[in-house]
Amino acid sequence: MLCLTAEGCAVQSAPGCRDRAFGRRICLATFVEGSLTVRSRRGVLAASVCLLAVPVALLFQLIVGSGAEMVLHLVGGVGFILTAFAVFDFEPPRWLPWVGCLSIGAFGVTFLLQGISQLMHIDWLTYLAFQILGQQVEALSADVFLVWCSATVLLMSHGKVKLFGICVMALAVGAEIYSNVVRYFGSGAGGISPLLKLVLLLPFVWLLLESSKKIPLPEGAKKA
């Protein structure tokens, strides 16, 4: 057991206690074992799946010789949908989690349908996933999700993770603005560097760090 008082330890044999001047004791870095948990397990899982989408797709391409885009859409789609549930583990204003949930949920559904259409080769599904959702929903939902990330970084994050989040969101928002400008002036997706697209995964690095933060267990969980 950890003790934060400078007058004496509740348990004299507690590890970390040592004698100070005038016979006083102080306990160093104290907490009850098992009293901390990660902020969002769903966030850790979702961010991990999203960040693994690219290396898994590249590995699949090396092994099979094709299909990297399909795997990227399938794995990424699952990760984005998981993220839609993870946003409720944070506690900003009540309306904000719904912004994140609906935006990244729509983005995830679009990605997942694109992957399924590439796997099944169904004409109507391909048209729905790429021509309708891919053209009208995908970009807008990604932009709105970046709004949620930016707001959560500013309102909820703290310390070094917050500073990292601000830098990451500045890069991601800048990359998204540049991508929208390129598309608007007719260069199309082919005019956007793949490396620039990878910058849009940086918010999930912040999400992983933020979700991994240690927080005290709720009282009910401690008693259980």
Side-chain angles (χ1 to χ4, degrees), residues 21-156:
F22 307 108
R24 303 175 74 180
R25 289 172 177 262
I26 188 169
C27 294
L28 306 176
T30 314
F31 65 88
V32 179
E33 184 178 359
S35 64
L36 298 180
T37 185
V38 295
R39 182 171 191 172
S40 172
R41 293 183 179 181
R42 291 186 294 186
V44 171
L45 175 62
S48 299
V49 173
C50 291
L51 293 174
L52 285 172
V54 172
V56 168
L58 292 177
L59 181 61
F60 187 87
Q61 179 74 23
L62 289 175
I63 295 175
V64 178
S66 62
E69 185 179 0
M70 177 192 67
V71 173
L72 180 63
H73 282 137
L74 291 173
V75 178
V78 171
F80 298 144
I81 291 174
L82 290 174
T83 305
F85 295 97
V87 299
F88 292 102
D89 291 339
F90 300 89
E91 300 178 357
R94 293 181 180 179
W95 55 269
L96 195 53
W98 286 103
V99 173
C101 175
L102 295 176
S103 60
I104 195 61
F107 192 78
V109 168
T110 301
F111 245 60
L112 194 59
L113 289 178
Q114 289 173 349
I116 293 173
S117 69
Q118 291 172 312
L119 178 64
M120 304 298 294
H121 302 289
I122 302 175
D123 292 339
W124 68 265
L125 184 58
T126 300
Y127 179 80
L128 172 65
F130 285 93
Q131 299 302 319
I132 297 179
L133 296 179
Q135 296 295 326
Q136 302 178 20
V137 176
E138 184 176 339
L140 177 61
S141 59
D143 292 344
V144 176
F145 178 68
L146 289 180
V147 172
W148 176 83
C149 289
S150 301
T152 307
V153 166
L154 295 175
L155 295 175
M156 299 301 303

